[in-house]
């Protein structure tokens, strides 16, 4: 997105809710963008008023939105931001790495110019593929750029003839693709289509709601300050007071459950993250909560054994999940 749409000196607004907002700024800076970053307070989202105030200063070529920031578990509503981008004739770029196929995304309806993701999260494929969909407006901006794209292998000039040839079922060469991952992607997309994207998004929402109920029953706090901005693909959880984080993760790992430590540098030792996306089932999350409970009890945390499993089960029953 940055390589093809941004030229040196272009103004870009980055709307950040964590580590990957800053990452987007670093990428844009490499392509010579004049970047402004709006950082949300920890556990919150950037307000629409703040975004519009910045857009009013004029001539932003693009803005970026991190739909779900993997470092914080914050979920942003892209639709009103995309509408603001249209109002100010600004391209909108959605980082959907931790959201596509797990959260609701309506690119055309919302007016998003770019939606990008990767293969390894809710798509459910091993890492290695970048997936991107561009609007006609974005393609026009790219066609009318004044300078060559500064990244040879990311240049749409090289990829579009390959895609056109593929659609016409004739051979064409630019670079050898990772055919094993493309076969895996085809398999995963068939699974997603069989489930149905609306049903898949609903499943993520219901599992996340039940999982957060389990976490809350343990008197553990999550990073998002409200449930409305808590992601349905991943949960970021503060370590309880008096519990050593590294010891907790080690004990969970000893039970064959792998969770992630903190990523946001200023607070990385105070929290951990649990993914619940893609093919993750309620049975998987029962195992996670069981391992978390057991580890907390071993470390002397004061709680009623089984309480998170009960809370999780109650929410599943309410949602009708078997």
């Amino acid at each position: 997105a940055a390589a093809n749409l941004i030229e040196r000196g272009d103004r870009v607004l980055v709307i950040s809710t964590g580590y990957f907002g800053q990452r987007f700024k670093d990428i844009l800076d490499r392509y010579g963008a004049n970047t402004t970053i709006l950082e949300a307070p920890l556990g919150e989202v950037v307000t629409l008023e703040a975004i519009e105030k910045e857009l009013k200063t004029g001539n932003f070529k693009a803005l970026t939105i991190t739909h779900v920031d993997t470092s914080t578990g914050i979920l942003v509503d892209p639709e009103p931001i995309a509408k603001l981008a249209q109002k100010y004739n600004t391209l909108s770029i959605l980082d959907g790495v931790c959201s596509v196929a797990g959260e609701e995304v309506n690119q055309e309806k919302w007016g998003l110019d770019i939606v990008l993701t990767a293969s390894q999260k809710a798509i459910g494929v091993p890492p290695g593929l970048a997936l991107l969909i561009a609007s006609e407006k974005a393609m026009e901006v790219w066609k009318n750029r004044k300078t060559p794209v500064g990244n040879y292998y990311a240049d749409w000039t090289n990829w579009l003839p390959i895609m056109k040839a593929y659609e016409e079922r004739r051979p064409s060469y630019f670079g050898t693709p990772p055919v094993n991952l493309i076969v895996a992607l085809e398999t995963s997309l068939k699974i997603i289509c069989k489930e149905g994207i609306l049903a898949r998004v609903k499943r993520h929402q219901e599992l996340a709601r039940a999982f957060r109920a389990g976490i809350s029953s343990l008197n553990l706090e999550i990073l998002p300050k409200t449930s409305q901005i808590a992601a349905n693909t991943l949960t970021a959880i503060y370590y309880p007071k008096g519990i050593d984080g590294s010891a907790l993760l080690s004990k969970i790992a000893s039970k064959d459950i792998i969770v992630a430590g903190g990523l946001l540098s200023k607070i990385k030792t105070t929290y951990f993250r649990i993914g619940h996306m893609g093919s993750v089932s309620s049975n998987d999350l029962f195992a996670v909560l069981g391992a978390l409970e057991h580890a907390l009890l071993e470390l002397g945390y004061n709680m009623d054994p089984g309480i998170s499993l009960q809370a999780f089960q109650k929410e599943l029953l309410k949602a009708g999940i078997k």
Side-chain angles (χ1 to χ4, degrees):
N4 286 279
L5 297 177
I6 303 306
E7 297 184 78
R8 186 161 297 277
D10 285 342
R11 295 188 74 197
V12 184
L13 180 63
V14 173
I15 300 159
S16 176
T17 49
Y19 182 94
F20 290 97
Q22 182 61 54
R23 169 72 64 85
F24 222 137
K25 181 185 184 303
D26 293 343
I27 292 168
L28 290 158
D29 288 348
R30 287 291 180 98
Y31 288 101
N34 177 5
T35 312
T36 300
I37 186 166
L38 282 177
E39 294 189 77
L42 183 62
E44 300 178 24
V45 297
V46 179
T47 66
L48 292 174
E49 291 76 16
I51 296 168
E52 183 158 24
K53 181 181 178 182
E54 201 62 50
L55 288 172
K56 281 179 178 176
T57 64
N59 298 323
F60 280 99
K61 186 174 189 179
L63 61 76
T64 72
I65 311 158
T66 311
H67 197 183
V68 171
D69 197 297
T70 317
S71 71
T72 57
I74 298 283
L75 172 67
V76 170
D77 182 0
E79 184 175 10
I81 301 174
K83 300 301 181 192
L84 280 178
Q86 290 175 319
K87 180 178 176 181
Y88 291 93
N89 194 30
T90 300
L91 293 170
S92 53
I93 301 170
L94 184 73
D95 169 359
V97 170
C98 197
S99 71
V100 170
E103 303 281 2
E104 182 182 10
V105 181
N106 291 299
Q107 181 172 6
E108 195 168 6
K109 179 182 174 184
W110 296 348
L112 291 161
D113 291 298
I114 298 285
V115 174
L116 59 93
T117 192
S119 53
Q120 74 271 17
K121 287 193 166 63
I123 297 283
V125 177
L129 295 177
L131 310 171
L132 181 148
I133 299 196
S135 70
E136 289 184 15
K137 180 181 177 182
M139 297 305 294
E140 284 301 312
V141 169
W142 164 72
K143 287 175 186 174
N144 292 319
R145 59 181 292 138
K146 298 178 179 64
T147 57
V149 172
N151 183 321
Y152 184 76
Y153 283 99
D155 189 348
W156 294 344
T157 308
N158 292 325
W159 283 109
L160 282 173
I162 304 301
M163 294 170 68
K164 190 172 188 298
Y166 176 81
E167 287 174 346
E168 295 172 356
R169 295 295 186 265
R170 54 184 178 80
S172 186
Y173 175 76
F174 162 52
T176 303
V179 290
N180 52 327
L181 291 177
I182 292 168
V183 171
L185 176 64
E186 181 182 26
T187 299
S188 184
L189 292 177
K190 286 177 179 177
I191 292 169
I192 291 169
C193 288
K194 184 177 180 181
E195 181 177 13
I197 193 63
L198 294 179
R200 189 178 181 88
V201 168
K202 185 181 179 186
R203 172 170 61 82
H204 279 77
Q205 292 170 342
E206 290 172 342
L207 282 177
R209 192 179 303 117
F211 186 72
R212 287 195 296 270
I215 294 299
S216 178
S217 73
L218 296 170
N219 293 317
L220 300 181
E221 292 183 24
I222 62 174
L223 262 71
K225 290 190 176 177
T226 68
S227 58
Q228 288 74 27
I229 60 169
N232 297 301
T233 51
L234 167 141
T235 299
I237 308 160
Y238 286 110
Y239 295 120
K241 287 185 174 65
I243 296 294
D244 179 79
S246 59
L248 180 67
L249 296 190
S250 177
K251 286 188 176 296
I252 293 172
S254 72
K255 296 161 182 44
D256 297 327
I257 300 292
I258 304 300
V259 300
L263 186 59
L264 205 60
S265 57
K266 57 187 176 184
I267 60 162
K268 69 182 299 179
T269 59
T270 68
Y271 77 106
F272 63 109
R273 297 168 298 137
I274 296 175
H276 34 81
M277 67 189 96
S279 60
V280 169
S281 69
S282 57
N283 287 338
D284 295 321
L285 295 181
F286 271 121
V288 172
L289 287 169
L292 174 59
E293 276 203 11
H294 199 169
L296 286 169
L297 287 166
E298 287 180 321
L299 292 170
Y301 186 64
N302 185 23
M303 53 169 281
D304 295 327
I307 191 169
S308 72
L309 301 174
Q310 291 178 38
F312 183 61
Q313 181 79 283
K314 283 179 183 177
E315 290 297 319
L316 291 182
L317 290 170
K318 277 186 201 174
I321 297 177
K322 298 178 181 179

